[in-house]
Amino acid sequence: MTDSVRRLHAAIKQARTADPARSRTAKLFGGGMPRIAKKVAEEAVEVGIAALQGQRREAILESADLIYNLAALWTAMGIEPEEIWDELDRREQLYGIAEKLPKTRSPDRLKAQQRMKLTIGSSAG
């Protein structure tokens, strides 16, 4: 899978400057970080909804969309997939593969989470 994500990341890097009329990736990048981040959030919600509804195939399709949009976000932020793999390796060494690190609740993080809940809630209705 890591090879697939690397290839996807490389393709996104190349396509981001293409003609937006002919490239969905270039069109996504034309909307800047707000558009890219919104797509990541939308796809994550769609994966969750598919899971709650027991729609296995839909969860697979939406997961692929999520991974694409996540790779686009990484590209926009200058993050290489290897940086993500390195962090996963680091966490595995500290906590085991199934664990994620506890997160501190900084005021900025709480505000961002509240904004996301409001945004998702208002777009769902």
Side-chain angles (χ1 to χ4, degrees):
M1 179 174 142
T2 58
D3 286 343
S4 296
V5 174
R6 283 185 186 109
R7 287 192 308 274
L8 174 62
H9 188 259
I12 289 169
K13 279 177 145 179
Q14 185 175 3
R16 68 183 168 180
T17 58
D19 178 2
R22 300 174 69 175
S23 167
R24 294 183 69 193
T25 299
K27 186 175 179 180
L28 177 66
F29 274 81
M33 185 57 73
R35 175 78 175 133
I36 296 167
K38 182 179 177 188
K39 288 302 292 180
V40 170
E42 287 174 4
E43 298 302 342
V45 168
E46 289 173 1
V47 170
I49 291 170
L52 289 172
Q53 295 176 344
Q55 298 175 334
R56 185 178 185 280
R57 179 69 181 146
E58 192 66 21
I60 292 168
L61 298 173
E62 296 299 344
S63 292
D65 289 346
L66 176 58
I67 291 169
Y68 162 80
N69 284 288
L70 189 56
L73 182 123
W74 295 346
T75 300
M77 295 185 72
I79 297 171
E80 294 295 323
E82 288 70 23
E83 293 176 86
I84 306 301
W85 311 153
D86 290 348
E87 176 59 16
L88 290 171
D89 289 343
R90 186 184 75 80
R91 291 178 183 197
E92 180 181 8
Q93 291 172 4
L94 290 174
Y95 298 100
I97 194 67
E99 298 294 327
K100 71 180 226 181
L101 294 176
K103 296 195 171 138
T104 59
R105 298 291 181 175
S106 71
D108 290 340
R109 182 173 175 77
L110 287 172
K111 286 179 189 175
Q113 287 174 332
Q114 289 168 346
R115 281 194 308 271
M116 181 62 75
K117 286 179 185 175
L118 289 173
T119 302
I120 291 171
S122 66
S123 67

